């Protein structure tokens, strides 16, 4: 009996369980789930068909586990949302039932069906995808994940609060850490803030405590003035090339000047600069770091208004909120006064404008030089603006504050109190519509010396046009992602439409990137406040420690496999491979002849199948996704057995 005949007989003996998910209506609102189940019963080899409102729930998983334990099935098809979301969930359920987790296939009938089709068309397509998945499972074989050694070391890129917190959490769990910071200083933007809401603590005090822990920990090595120039390897065994050199001319000039004038020792906090952990290098150094996991904590940057935006760049009296925070601190150091002083001028009327560089509307707001708009809410700006207004009113009671806003979102727990307090402090609020923002002009009133005039249609007074003379305008700028395209290109990771780094899933895998072993922490992912950034950093630290704790990592077996009996060494697979270092031609002896044959590094292989498509001998295939399985799936899709 030929090998193909044996496989055919074995496939006919398989017992397949099909489990269809309603997804709370996401699927069942457009797909007739019961008809899909009836059609699945017609597929040869299917012995159990069930449906559930949420297959990923505990009751849904129990359906699968019970059938496995009772011997009703020996392989599983789940028809639900994208496998990227819950593939691990169902594999774990199969494992808990005592079966091999890779005897399972997934039919995506949400993203590929219910979200794009309706009515009979949706039900028909769902039925055929389920039938195809069932046909594929007949040729599944028990697989085992393969193990690779993992270096118990993590590299954290970014020395802001998130990077510092992640480094500490990892070091406390016994993981060696190298912290790479591009600037000469640690602390990121937190080092440039004054006081922190709601505790009213000095940012410098919190930061000094955190950096002291990092600098004094024996398991943490800090590299300032350093950038990543090269990246390779895979989870557990990454290699980073790092260049360390003095900043370029003009880079961090103000901060370095403050350090030289402060008289502070290395490791101490320099106001509005941060903490300098090491001296600034005089010569260029290059080093290689071998690491098991990489945590990206590259932070954010405040939005820079374009020239003319609310008068920015046209009038020296228009500044940003970060500028004002520094000015407030300088006023306090000089003894304060009943009136805020800016550049030697007393500020009697100060205007604050919300949502500058956030919640931008296509066709209404001006895009940047690359055509980007920040359509998202930066979340923290409103609370920061109102808190700063309160500080000004309490420290400088003769300075009046006018607040111009589209909407106010004091979203955090207890932060509504800031708004109430601002009202009590006699901050005067004006609300405008996005299409009609305040207009700033030079003040030509003859009976006042306020240099600027703000004209606005105030919706709180039913669209009345108001003119407000002011001495200072403060733009509450939002958060933007830093340009880390050099890292994303090197590491082959993604950013979202908002240009922040994109996690795999915001709920299920919130700190993981699409490349295994690369994690994210803090405001490189989205606008966060300090507490949220630290929480995200701790999440990344826990995930990294879990990956590295055993000294090895387990990788999915879905990788390319070479049949040496068929391989003729054409090299076509190497030319087609999308990743470096996956395939190589090695010398070996076959029938007494020295030849070259393809060899796969499974740790680097992504299982994309590009090599399979080009091999003239058909000598290479992806484990778990063989050409025979594809043929069976296609046969079932076009089969008349699935009448719908």
């Amino acid at each position: 009996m030929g090998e193909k005949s044996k496989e055919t007989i074995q496939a006919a003996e398989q017992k397949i369980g099909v489990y269809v998910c309603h997804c709370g209506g996401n699927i069942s609102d457009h797909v007739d789930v019961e008809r899909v189940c009836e059609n699945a019963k017609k597929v040869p080899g299917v012995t159990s068909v069930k449906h559930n409102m949420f297959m990923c729930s505990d009751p849904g998983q129990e359906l699968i586990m019970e059938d496995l334990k009772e011997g009703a099935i020996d392989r599983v098809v789940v028809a639900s949302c994208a496998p990227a979301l819950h593939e691990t969930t169902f594999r774990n359920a199969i494992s808990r039932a005592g079966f091999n987790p890779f005897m399972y296939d997934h039919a995506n009938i949400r993203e590929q069906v219910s979200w794009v089709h309706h009515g009979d068309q949706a039900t028909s397509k769902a039925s055929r995808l389920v039938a195809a998945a069932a046909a594929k499972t007949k040729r599944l074989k028990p697989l085992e994940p393969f193990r690779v050694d993992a270096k118990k070391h993590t590299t954290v890129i970014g020395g802001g609060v998130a990077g510092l917190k992640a480094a500490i959490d990892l070091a406390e769990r016994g993981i060696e850490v190298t912290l790479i910071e591009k600037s000469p200083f640690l602390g990121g933007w937190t080092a440039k803030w004054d006081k922190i809401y709601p505790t009213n603590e000095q940012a410098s005090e919190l930061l000094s405590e955190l950096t002291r822990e990092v600098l004094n920990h024996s398991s943490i090595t800090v590299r300032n003035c350093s950038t990543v120039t090269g990246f390779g390897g895979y989870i557990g065994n990454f290699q980073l090339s790092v260049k360390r050199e003095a900043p370029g001319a003009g880079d961090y000039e103000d901060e370095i000047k403050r350090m030289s004038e402060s008289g502070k020792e290395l490791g101490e906090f320099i106001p509005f600069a941060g903490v300098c952990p090491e001296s600034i290098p005089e010569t260029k150094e290059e080093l290689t770091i071998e690491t098991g996991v990489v945590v990206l904590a590259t932070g954010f940057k405040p939005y820079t208004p374009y020239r003319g935006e609310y008068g920015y760049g046209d009038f020296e009296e228009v500044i940003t909120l970060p500028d004002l925070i520094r000015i407030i601190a300088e006023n306090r150091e000089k003894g304060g006064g009943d009136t805020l002083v800016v550049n030697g001028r007393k500020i009697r009327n100060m205007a604050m404008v919300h949502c500058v560089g956030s919640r931008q509307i296509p066709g209404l707001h001006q895009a940047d030089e690359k055509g980007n708009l920040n359509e998202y809410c930066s979340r923290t700006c409103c609370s920061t603006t109102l808190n700063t207004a309160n500080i000004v009113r309490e420290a400088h009671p003769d300075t009046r504050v006018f607040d111009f806003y589209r909407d106010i979102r004091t979203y955090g727990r207890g932060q509504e109190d800031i708004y109430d307090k601002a009202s009590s402090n006699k901050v005067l609020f004006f609300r405008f519509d996005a299409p009609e923002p305040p207009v700033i002009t030079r003040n030509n009133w003859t009976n006042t010396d306020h240099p600027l005039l703000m004209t606005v249609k105030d919706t709180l007074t039913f669209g009345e046009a108001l003119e407000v003379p002011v001495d200072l305008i403060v733009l509450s700028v939002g958060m933007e992602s830093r340009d880390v395209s050099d890292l994303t290109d090197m590491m082959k990771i993604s950013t979202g439409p908002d240009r922040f780094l994109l996690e795999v899933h915001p709920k299920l895998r919130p700190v993981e990137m699409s490349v295994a072993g690369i994690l994210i922490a803090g405001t490189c992912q989205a606008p966060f406040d300090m507490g949220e950034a630290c929480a995200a950093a701790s999440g990344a630290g826990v995930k990294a420690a879990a990956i590295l704790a055993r000294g090895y990592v387990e990788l999915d077996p879905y990788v390319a496999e070479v049949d040496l009996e068929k391989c003729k060494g054409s090299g076509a697979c190497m030319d087609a491979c999308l990743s470096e270092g996956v395939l190589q031609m090695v010398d070996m002896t076959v029938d007494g002849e020295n030849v070259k044959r393809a060899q796969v590094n499974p740790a680097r292989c992504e299982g994309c199948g590009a090599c399979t498509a080009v091999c003239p001998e058909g000598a290479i295939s992806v484990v778990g996704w063989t050409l025979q399985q594809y043929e069976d799936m296609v046969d079932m899709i076009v089969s008349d057995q699935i009448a719908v």
Side-chain angles (χ1 to χ4, degrees):
M1 184 180 293
E3 187 65 28
K4 186 172 182 181
S5 299
K6 288 181 181 179
E7 286 186 3
T8 302
I9 292 173
Q10 289 172 354
E13 295 173 350
Q14 311 307 338
K15 295 180 289 186
I16 305 166
V18 174
Y19 304 88
V20 184
C21 184
H22 292 246
C23 199
N26 277 298
I27 292 172
S28 57
D29 284 352
H30 302 287
V31 174
D32 188 335
V33 169
E34 292 188 1
R35 277 178 59 196
V36 172
C37 290
E38 289 301 317
N39 290 327
K41 294 176 182 178
K42 305 172 187 175
V43 178
V46 172
T47 58
S48 178
V49 179
K50 296 178 180 178
H51 58 90
N52 188 271
M53 183 60 68
F54 294 102
M55 278 305 305
C56 60
S57 66
D58 287 344
Q61 294 177 54
E62 285 293 333
L63 292 177
I64 300 172
M65 295 169 65
E66 288 173 5
D67 283 353
L68 287 167
K69 291 176 181 178
E70 292 173 1
I73 61 171
D74 57 18
R75 54 205 62 218
V76 175
V77 171
V78 176
S80 62
C81 56
L85 299 179
H86 283 298
E87 190 172 49
T88 302
T89 301
F90 297 118
R91 281 190 197 167
N92 289 339
I94 295 169
S95 293
R96 293 198 303 275
F99 283 73
N100 187 286
F102 299 102
M103 304 296 286
Y104 149 78
D105 197 46
H106 200 103
N108 181 354
I109 63 169
R110 188 179 72 173
E111 286 82 350
Q112 293 182 0
V113 180
S114 66
W115 282 4
V116 290
H117 301 291
H118 307 286
D120 289 341
Q121 185 184 32
T123 301
S124 175
K125 183 175 180 181
S127 296
R128 295 188 183 279
L129 289 181
V130 169
K136 174 178 179 282
T137 62
K138 293 181 183 180
R139 296 186 186 275
L140 290 178
K141 298 177 181 179
L143 302 174
E144 294 296 331
F146 59 90
R147 294 181 177 181
V148 295
D149 292 336
K151 188 173 181 60
K152 209 171 182 180
H153 181 281
T154 297
T155 299
V156 178
I157 302 177
V161 164
L164 295 169
K165 186 69 169 70
I168 282 292
D169 285 358
L170 282 160
E172 291 297 310
R173 288 174 169 80
I175 308 292
E176 294 286 330
V177 179
T178 297
L179 178 66
I180 297 175
E181 167 55 38
K182 187 175 183 179
S183 79
F185 305 96
L186 299 178
W189 270 97
T190 302
K192 305 181 192 306
W193 302 143
D194 186 24
K195 293 188 177 182
I196 303 300
Y197 178 84
T199 63
N200 210 35
E201 295 174 271
Q202 288 292 131
S204 58
E205 294 177 3
L206 296 174
L207 198 57
S208 295
E209 181 179 347
L210 189 57
T211 51
R212 195 179 305 115
E213 286 188 66
V214 168
L215 296 174
N216 292 336
H217 205 292
S218 59
S219 296
I220 301 176
T221 301
V222 177
R223 302 287 189 187
N224 66 342
C225 302
S226 300
T227 54
V228 177
T229 57
F231 176 82
Y234 48 90
I235 182 172
N237 295 271
F238 292 116
Q239 297 85 41
L240 279 71
S241 300
V242 177
K243 179 175 66 176
R244 186 169 185 258
E245 61 182 343
D251 291 343
Y252 312 105
E253 185 175 347
D254 292 341
E255 290 87 347
I256 293 172
K257 182 180 179 181
R258 286 190 187 89
M259 182 182 71
S260 63
E261 293 175 350
S262 66
K264 302 281 188 179
E265 299 292 333
L266 292 178
E268 295 186 79
F269 181 82
I270 298 100
F272 295 101
V275 173
C276 189
E278 301 179 51
S279 59
I280 297 172
E282 296 181 0
T283 58
K284 183 168 69 174
E285 307 172 36
E286 294 185 357
L287 60 149
T288 299
I289 299 174
E290 295 184 350
T291 192
V293 169
V294 176
V295 177
L296 297 176
T298 50
F300 76 99
K301 64 176 183 178
Y303 172 79
T304 301
Y306 59 83
R307 185 177 184 89
E309 186 171 13
Y310 294 106
Y312 186 80
D314 293 337
F315 306 115
E316 63 178 0
E317 297 88 357
V318 180
I319 63 174
T320 65
L321 185 54
D323 297 330
L324 176 64
I325 290 172
R326 182 178 298 179
I327 290 167
I328 291 171
E330 292 171 351
N331 271 255
R332 186 173 59 249
E333 290 173 2
K334 295 175 182 178
D338 289 343
T339 307
L340 179 69
V341 177
V342 179
N343 295 329
R345 180 187 180 90
K346 288 187 175 182
I347 306 300
R348 291 165 297 160
N349 289 355
M350 182 178 80
M352 306 185 80
V353 183
H354 289 244
C355 295
V356 180
S358 296
R359 303 175 66 215
Q360 294 176 322
I361 301 171
L364 182 62
H365 290 101
Q366 179 175 318
D368 65 14
E369 64 278 4
K370 295 182 179 179
N372 297 315
L373 285 172
N374 300 335
E375 298 183 45
Y376 53 85
C377 171
S378 291
R379 301 173 73 241
T380 64
C381 322
C382 286
S383 297
T384 305
T385 301
L386 295 174
N387 188 51
T388 306
N390 286 327
I391 292 173
V392 170
R393 288 293 299 146
E394 291 167 7
H396 310 287
D398 288 349
T399 297
R400 293 180 289 271
V401 178
F402 304 103
D403 187 291
F404 295 80
Y405 70 97
R406 289 165 56 191
D407 299 289
I408 291 180
R409 296 176 174 179
T410 50
Y411 73 96
R413 181 178 181 182
Q415 291 190 13
E416 184 70 10
D417 295 344
I418 315 176
Y419 174 78
D420 293 337
K421 189 176 182 181
S423 297
S424 299
N425 279 330
K426 298 182 180 179
V427 173
L428 189 58
F429 291 92
F430 302 90
R431 188 173 189 180
F432 62 91
D433 287 328
E436 296 183 291
V439 176
I440 289 85
T441 57
R442 185 61 69 186
N443 187 5
N444 295 320
W445 288 9
T446 57
N447 59 343
T448 179
D449 59 354
H450 301 292
L452 298 180
L453 189 68
M454 295 191 70
T455 304
V456 64
K457 285 188 177 181
D458 178 27
T459 63
L460 297 178
T461 54
F462 307 103
E464 183 178 357
L466 302 176
E467 292 183 330
V468 182
V470 295
D471 305 295
L472 183 71
I473 296 174
V474 180
L475 306 183
S476 183
V477 292
M479 291 185 179
E480 287 188 316
S481 62
R482 284 187 179 277
D483 182 6
V484 290
S485 56
D486 54 341
L487 293 176
T488 57
D489 290 345
M490 275 190 284
M491 298 180 177
K492 295 181 173 60
I493 53 178
S494 302
T495 58
D498 56 7
R499 304 181 304 286
F500 287 92
L501 295 179
L502 185 65
E503 71 283 344
V504 173
H505 190 277
K507 294 181 180 178
L508 302 175
R509 298 170 66 185
V511 298
E512 298 177 62
M513 298 293 289
S514 56
V515 175
I518 301 179
L519 310 177
I520 47 178
T523 53
C524 63
Q525 181 179 12
F528 290 154
D529 65 22
M530 187 188 298
E532 292 167 333
C534 288
S538 292
V542 168
K543 185 65 181 180
I547 292 171
L548 301 176
R550 294 179 294 181
Y552 65 87
V553 292
E554 291 186 338
L555 303 179
D556 282 351
Y558 299 132
V559 297
E561 184 178 60
V562 178
D563 185 341
L564 294 177
E565 293 184 1
K566 294 182 179 179
C567 180
K568 301 299 182 184
S570 70
C573 54
M574 289 187 62
D575 295 335
C577 185
L578 304 179
S579 302
E580 293 183 10
V582 175
L583 281 161
Q584 59 179 333
M585 303 303 293
V586 298
D587 294 319
M588 60 178 65
T589 302
V590 177
D591 296 330
E593 183 181 356
N594 293 329
V595 296
K596 287 186 178 292
R597 295 291 183 261
Q599 187 177 78
V600 179
N601 181 342
R604 293 177 182 265
C605 181
E606 298 177 359
C608 66
C611 54
T612 302
V614 299
C615 179
E617 314 298 336
I620 190 167
S621 62
V622 176
V623 175
W625 287 93
T626 64
L627 289 175
Q628 185 61 58
Q629 286 174 314
Y630 278 114
E631 290 174 5
D632 290 348
M633 293 174 72
V634 172
D635 288 343
M636 188 53 67
I637 288 173
V638 300
S639 172
D640 292 334
Q641 287 179 297
I642 311 302
V644 292

